[in-house]
Amino acid sequence: NEKSLSFHSKALKTAKEYANPKAIANAYINIGRIYTKLSDEEKAKTNYFNAIKIGEKIKSYAIKSAANSSLGELYKKLKKNNIATQYYIEALEDILQTDNVYLQGIAYKNVGIMQRLVKEDSESLTSFKRALQKLELVDDKRELSEINFILGEFYQDKKEFDNAIIYMKNSLGYAELSGHQEYIKKGYENLANVYEENKDYKNAYDYLKYFSAIKDTKFISELEAQIEIEKKNREIALINQESQFEVQEATNRTYILLIAAIIIFIFSLILYYNLRQKNKINKELKRATDLANKSIQEKEEFFAFTSHEIRTPLNAVVGMTQLLDNTQLSEIQYKYLKTIKASANNILFLVNDVLDLAKLEKGAIELESVDVSLQEITATIVDSLSYKTNDKPLKLTTNIDQNLPHYLKGDPLRINQILLNLTDNALKFTKQGEVNISIALEKEESNNLTVLFKVKDTGIGITKVKLNKIFESYQQASVDTSRNYGGTGLGLAITKQLIELMGGKIAIKSEPNKGTEFTFKLTLNKSTSTKEKQKITKVEPLRNLSILAVDDTDLNRSIFYDLVHSEKHNVTVTLAEDGQKAIEICKDKKFDVIMMDLQMPILNGFDTTATIRRNSNNPNQNTPIIAMTAHAIEGVSKRCDEVGMSDYIAKPINISHLYNKIRALTKSTVPDIKPLETVSSETQNTKAINLITERVNLTELSALVGGKAPKIIKYIDLFLKNIPKDMALLKNQFKAKEWEEVAKTTHKIKGNASYMGISQAKAILIEIEKLKEDVADIDNNTDIVDTLEVILNQSSEDLTLIKQNLTA
């Protein structure tokens, strides 16, 4: 090792003299590997990180991958498997940016091995199979032998012997073709073990004999003995049967033969009849199963085809109408445009019904638990459907219980969908009178509320005969309903399933020509949110603090720095763009508090915090750490506690909440923030500028920065700079079906969009973030990224216009 270290050190020196960055990086990696063998963690890490920095500087993903893989090897040797797994994943992400298929296969294999060590079995199986796909492309028989063997062992452990045998035989075949002696021996031995576990002793015996030609083993004799015992037992049983038969034959051969012949004849007739019936039933059953499977497959294909073929041109129609809406229009043109928009949205509504039904039947819809305002949802529905009352003597009214809190916890997208379906349905079948949406508080408990929803109309009503079928798919009240009123007959079926998914139950009362009333109850958790809109609150500033802010997003870092850093009050903010840089900074300087983003490249917030907490030599081991997250707090709080975080705060950050949390953790004597002055967001230097458009709402951002136009402009510029790069990255990841990376990039975009108040993108971003490697999900969301891009492009145009007005 000492000689090897000397040679590589000379190589490093030479590479530096010739200023060859790739050679320098490779020398650092080789030196790090020697220190890994010597178990010198710190020196090995230093060399690997030096290589990573060079790789980032010269944009060499291969170098970064090699260095991260070596870091994984180091931590694997040190028995720190979770950290090792993270570095192997980083290595994989880097090498996937290159065209080196062989190294991609090796990286997937390394990740799979580590995932199996940390008991992530399903993830490891996925990684091994991807490794197999990559290595098959380059036809590396030696590596193919090893990866097939690993897969065989995986299925052997799961007692799935058929799969285990297939992969073990593949491994043995590749090993023999490549002359891989180790896996030839392992192949014969393990196949024997698998067959023995599967109680196939003959094949087990055969493979042990093959193995004996390579290596002697005591198991052969044991298995031979077992097979011999079974053989003798069968011979003894046959001899006994033969003896009994001879005794009976000697007693009355003719009588026994006659009885036996009759019994055999009767049994043959019964067996023949039963076999005919069984074959007939099996044929019918197979035919019915084939028809059912074909029907399901055809329906899924139809849903996917419908989604792509209808939504693609429809998105263009919706996008163009929104762009046209921003131009100067005459009154009659605006009226026509409004009709086009309404019609396009109706078509989109129908398409979504078909897709939602497919997801519900498959069980692919997951519910959110975030802040939801029933008052805001109802107001939005009234605004969006009020045009349907213009041409008939009909009123759309609401009745909202004043005792209902403004915010509860639930899924706003699905609650909106339920009420929108019921209200649109009521308006469709009501020519005159009233459609009323009623929401009332029925019962309150310590942590939740039971809310009663009613949608009542004075429409055509439904006969008693049809009431029981109205919630079935593709069903309507009469055969001419679709012709006279339109619709697919899916809305109520979807509504019923969504309500039941939330733990509720829908009921209906109706009388022909008098009207219909739909009622349902939902139990929703209470929210602690105290959001206030379009308010600017002056707050008592922080004083005499040193803060480290760790976040990978330019916009988030810039906003935090501008809000908190203050030379006047001696508050310094140091910025780090990822967890690894934060750890390096923490070694040299003590901070009063650390703000930690959770989703970051290289090292995420959880692992960064755990590393800081474990290192007793780190001056910030006990420094308060506050998590910053765009996730729902309920989903991350437990993990934050596990790694040693002190508190957490949601993005976009509320400055009052942030200051109070920092004061509480740093034991400051300054009292909690109290509103000193509350004024309208239009009283400061943005008073003449409208910060709200159809797609953008900057009032909360304005409140956050005290209404200062230069800062708003600065953050708009950061958003406009970063969003095209983020969207290009997201589209590439989506196309490559790299779902973990898709979720990370989507999470980053969601945080930026939140600061810009782009609420229209929120639901789409949540859907993208939840996508998994599921064929139906992919088929039903082929154009979802394009839809997001249209919204963000239009929002960017609005932001550019606001910026121009602020600058003028």
Side-chain angles (χ1 to χ4, degrees):
N1 286 331
E2 289 181 2
K3 287 184 178 180
S4 180
L5 185 61
S6 174
F7 284 126
H8 285 299
S9 297
K10 289 179 181 177
L12 175 61
K13 183 178 179 181
T14 304
K16 287 181 176 179
E17 289 174 356
Y18 283 93
N20 187 329
K22 287 189 177 180
I24 295 170
N26 286 322
Y28 276 130
I29 292 171
N30 290 328
I31 292 171
R33 286 170 178 166
I34 296 170
Y35 283 121
T36 296
K37 291 180 182 178
L38 297 172
S39 299
D40 191 332
E41 179 180 354
E42 290 303 319
K43 288 183 179 178
K45 282 167 54 180
T46 299
N47 282 279
Y48 293 145
F49 287 139
N50 286 339
I52 289 173
K53 288 178 182 176
I54 294 172
E56 289 175 346
K57 186 175 182 180
I58 65 174
K59 297 181 180 180
S60 172
Y61 290 105
I63 287 173
K64 288 169 62 181
S65 177
N68 277 308
S69 181
S70 298
L71 278 164
E73 182 183 353
L74 168 65
Y75 282 107
K76 180 181 177 184
K77 182 177 181 181
L78 296 173
K79 308 293 186 188
K80 297 178 181 180
N81 291 335
N82 284 318
I83 299 177
T85 303
Q86 184 64 38
Y87 279 115
Y88 276 124
I89 290 173
E90 292 291 338
L92 172 60
E93 291 170 350
D94 287 327
I95 204 63
L96 287 176
Q97 304 299 318
T98 73
D99 297 328
N100 196 322
V101 178
Y102 170 77
L103 290 180
Q104 289 173 3
I106 299 301
Y108 272 122
K109 182 179 81 169
N110 290 336
V111 169
I113 291 170
M114 295 311 305
Q115 286 170 332
R116 195 169 180 201
L117 284 175
V118 297
K119 309 300 182 185
E120 295 178 356
D121 286 350
S122 60
E123 291 84 352
S124 68
L125 180 59
T126 300
S127 296
F128 287 141
K129 288 190 174 179
R130 287 180 176 173
L132 186 61
Q133 291 172 353
K134 297 288 185 181
L135 293 169
E136 284 175 343
L137 291 175
V138 296
D139 196 26
D140 189 309
K141 295 179 175 56
R142 192 176 182 86
E143 289 292 342
L144 284 169
S145 173
E146 294 184 16
I147 198 66
N148 274 285
F149 187 85
I150 291 171
L151 283 163
E153 281 189 320
F154 180 93
Y155 285 112
Q156 184 181 359
D157 291 344
K158 298 292 182 184
K159 306 300 181 185
E160 297 180 25
F161 298 118
D162 290 343
N163 283 331
I165 289 168
I166 291 170
Y167 283 109
M168 287 290 183
K169 285 187 175 180
N170 287 343
S171 171
L172 183 58
Y174 283 121
E176 289 175 340
L177 287 172
S178 62
H180 200 337
Q181 293 299 319
E182 179 184 356
Y183 279 86
I184 292 174
K185 293 177 183 178
K186 282 186 175 183
Y188 283 121
E189 184 178 19
N190 264 53
L191 275 166
N193 292 335
V194 173
Y195 278 121
E196 185 177 4
E197 286 184 60
N198 202 27
K199 302 190 186 312
D200 185 347
Y201 298 114
K202 184 180 184 307
N203 274 315
Y205 175 66
D206 288 341
Y207 275 96
L208 275 175
K209 284 200 299 186
Y210 299 148
F211 180 62
S212 68
I214 305 169
K215 181 180 179 182
D216 293 329
T217 176
K218 65 178 182 179
F219 297 118
I220 296 177
S221 58
E222 292 176 359
L223 199 59
E224 283 180 331
Q226 187 173 355
I227 293 172
E228 190 64 31
I229 289 169
E230 287 185 1
K231 181 179 178 183
K232 288 181 179 178
N233 287 338
R234 287 197 298 271
E235 289 175 352
I236 292 169
L238 288 171
I239 290 169
N240 288 338
Q241 289 175 4
E242 187 178 352
S243 299
Q244 292 173 6
F245 181 75
E246 287 176 353
V247 170
Q248 292 173 357
E249 186 181 46
T251 305
N252 197 340
R253 183 188 299 253
T254 304
Y255 177 75
I256 292 173
L257 286 174
L258 180 61
I259 296 297
I262 293 171
I263 292 172
I264 291 170
F265 178 72
I266 294 171
F267 181 75
S268 297
L269 287 175
I270 294 171
L271 183 62
Y272 175 72
Y273 177 78
N274 285 340
L275 285 173
R276 284 191 62 184
Q277 288 297 107
K278 183 178 179 181
N279 288 336
K280 184 178 179 181
I281 292 170
N282 286 340
K283 286 180 181 178
E284 291 295 322
L285 183 61
K286 185 177 184 303
R287 182 170 171 270
T289 303
D290 290 343
L291 286 172
N293 290 335
K294 184 179 179 182
S295 175
I296 292 170
Q297 183 179 355
E298 287 176 349
K299 185 170 71 172
E300 289 180 353
E301 290 174 355
F302 170 74
F303 286 154
F305 179 79
T306 301
S307 168
H308 182 75
E309 294 302 319
I310 296 179
R311 290 184 69 172
T312 299
L314 188 59
N315 282 329
V317 174
V318 173
M320 289 300 106
T321 56
Q322 290 173 343
L323 292 174
L324 188 59
D325 196 20
N326 290 328
T327 63
Q328 294 292 329
L329 300 172
S330 67
E331 186 176 347
I332 190 66
Q333 286 174 327
Y334 181 75
K335 181 180 178 181
Y336 293 158
L337 179 64
K338 190 173 181 180
T339 303
I340 294 171
K341 287 174 69 175
S343 300
N345 287 328
N346 282 342
I347 298 171
L348 191 60
F349 191 65
L350 295 176
V351 173
N352 287 337
D353 274 352
V354 175
L355 300 178
D356 280 342
L357 183 66
K359 285 187 177 182
L360 282 163
E361 289 179 351
K362 190 171 182 276
I365 286 183
E366 297 179 7
L367 297 177
E368 270 195 301
S369 179
V370 297
D371 283 341
V372 53
S373 170
L374 300 179
Q375 293 88 340
E376 292 176 12
I377 286 176
T378 308
T380 302
I381 289 173
V382 171
D383 289 342
S384 63
L385 295 180
S386 58
Y387 74 94
K388 294 195 174 186
T389 65
N390 292 340
D391 300 328
K392 47 188 175 181
L394 176 64
K395 293 189 297 183
L396 176 57
T397 62
T398 62
N399 184 16
I400 312 297
D401 193 335
Q402 296 298 315
N403 294 319
L404 273 173
H406 193 75
Y407 286 101
L408 294 167
K409 288 291 184 183
D411 190 322
L413 183 67
R414 299 305 173 187
I415 293 174
N416 179 82
Q417 187 175 0
I418 292 167
L419 286 174
L420 187 63
N421 270 347
L422 293 176
T423 308
D424 186 65
N425 194 68
L427 289 168
K428 183 166 61 175
F429 295 110
T430 305
K431 293 182 179 179
Q432 61 183 6
E434 181 182 15
V435 172
N436 178 259
I437 306 170
S438 171
I439 305 177
L441 173 61
E442 183 168 276
K443 184 172 67 174
E444 181 173 4
E445 296 179 347
S446 58
N447 296 320
N448 56 55
L449 301 173
T450 300
V451 183
L452 175 65
F453 299 82
K454 293 182 182 179
V455 177
K456 187 176 182 179
D457 64 61
T458 57
I460 63 174
I462 307 168
T463 63
K464 289 184 178 179
V465 177
K466 294 294 182 180
L467 280 179
N468 293 331
K469 294 185 176 182
I470 201 68
F471 292 112
E472 296 177 11
S473 299
Y474 309 104
Q475 291 292 325
Q476 296 193 327
S478 63
V479 292
D480 60 348
T481 298
S482 181
R483 182 177 67 252
N484 292 333
Y485 296 97
T488 59
L490 295 175
L492 291 178
I494 291 168
T495 298
K496 177 176 181 289
Q497 292 187 54
L498 285 174
I499 291 171
E500 290 174 351
L501 188 63
M502 295 183 185
K505 188 175 182 181
I506 192 168
I508 180 173
K509 291 190 298 184
S510 186
E511 191 173 342
N513 301 318
K514 290 189 176 181
T516 304
E517 181 182 77
F518 289 94
T519 62
F520 64 94
K521 298 176 185 178
L522 294 178
T523 300
L524 303 173
N525 290 331
K526 291 182 178 180
S527 171
T528 57
S529 177
T530 57
K531 295 179 182 176
E532 294 181 9
K533 296 195 173 181
Q534 298 186 27
K535 301 277 186 173
I536 300 174
T537 304
K538 290 186 177 180
V539 296
E540 184 67 26
L542 298 171
R543 290 181 174 85
N544 303 318
L545 290 174
S546 175
I547 300 172
L548 172 64
V550 191
D551 198 303
D552 67 312
T553 305
D554 291 345
L555 180 62
N556 293 339
R557 290 198 306 274
S558 182
I559 288 176
F560 188 90
Y561 186 89
D562 289 346
L563 289 175
V564 180
H565 185 86
S566 171
E567 294 181 4
K568 178 180 178 181
H569 298 108
N570 193 28
V571 177
T572 61
V573 175
T574 303
L575 300 176
E577 63 190 50
D578 60 61
Q580 191 58 57
K581 286 185 173 62
I583 291 172
E584 293 175 5
I585 292 171
C586 282
K587 290 178 182 178
D588 302 324
K589 182 178 179 180
K590 174 74 170 69
F591 293 95
D592 295 306
V593 68
I594 298 172
M595 303 300 301
M596 185 71 69
D597 185 30
L598 296 182
Q599 294 283 352
M600 295 184 292
I602 300 179
L603 203 61
N604 64 41
F606 296 114
D607 293 338
T608 303
T609 300
T611 302
I612 293 171
R613 294 296 190 225
R614 283 196 303 266
N615 190 349
S616 58
N617 295 323
N618 193 311
N620 292 283
Q621 185 183 29
N622 299 312
T623 298
I625 299 178
I626 301 175
M628 300 184 290
T629 176
H631 285 301
I633 290 299
E634 291 84 347
V636 299
S637 60
K638 182 179 178 182
R639 194 171 175 195
C640 287
D641 291 338
E642 289 173 352
V643 299
M645 288 182 172
S646 311
D647 206 339
Y648 34 77
I649 190 167
K651 294 179 184 175
I653 289 173
N654 180 298
I655 196 66
S656 299
H657 292 169
L658 174 65
Y659 282 12
N660 281 332
K661 287 178 182 291
I662 291 176
R663 286 200 173 93
L665 290 170
T666 56
K667 299 179 181 178
S668 171
T669 57
V670 178
D672 280 353
I673 298 166
K674 295 179 181 178
L676 300 179
E677 179 185 350
T678 303
V679 294
S680 167
S681 63
E682 297 182 354
T683 63
Q684 302 208 12
N685 61 351
T686 59
K687 61 183 180 181
I689 305 301
N690 184 10
L691 299 176
I692 304 174
T693 70
E694 183 181 347
R695 290 169 288 268
V696 171
N697 187 337
L698 297 182
T699 53
E700 289 192 9
L701 179 63
S702 178
L704 197 63
V705 299
K708 295 177 181 177
K711 287 189 177 180
I712 297 174
I713 293 169
K714 174 182 177 181
Y715 303 145
I716 290 175
D717 284 338
L718 282 171
F719 179 85
L720 296 176
K721 172 187 173 184
N722 289 323
I723 209 66
K725 295 186 291 185
D726 292 340
M727 277 306 305
L729 179 61
L730 178 63
K731 290 170 76 174
N732 289 334
Q733 292 166 344
F734 190 89
K735 185 177 180 181
K737 301 179 182 178
E738 297 170 349
W739 303 117
E740 290 184 9
E741 297 308 309
V742 165
K744 290 178 184 177
T745 305
T746 304
H747 185 82
K748 180 179 178 182
I749 294 172
K750 187 168 68 174
N752 289 344
S754 295
Y755 277 115
M756 296 298 117
I758 308 173
S759 58
Q760 193 178 2
K762 181 180 178 183
I764 296 176
L765 286 161
I766 290 171
E767 287 294 317
I768 297 174
E769 196 172 10
K770 288 180 178 178
L771 285 178
K772 304 295 182 186
E773 192 164 357
D774 188 299
V775 174
D777 279 344
I778 299 166
D779 288 343
N780 291 339
N781 290 283
T782 51
D783 60 347
I784 194 168
V785 175
D786 294 332
T787 303
L788 174 65
E789 187 174 33
V790 170
I791 292 170
L792 292 178
N793 286 342
Q794 294 166 352
S795 301
S796 296
E797 292 174 3
D798 288 1
L799 288 168
T800 301
L801 182 61
I802 292 173
K803 174 190 168 185
Q804 290 171 352
N805 292 334
L806 288 169
T807 307

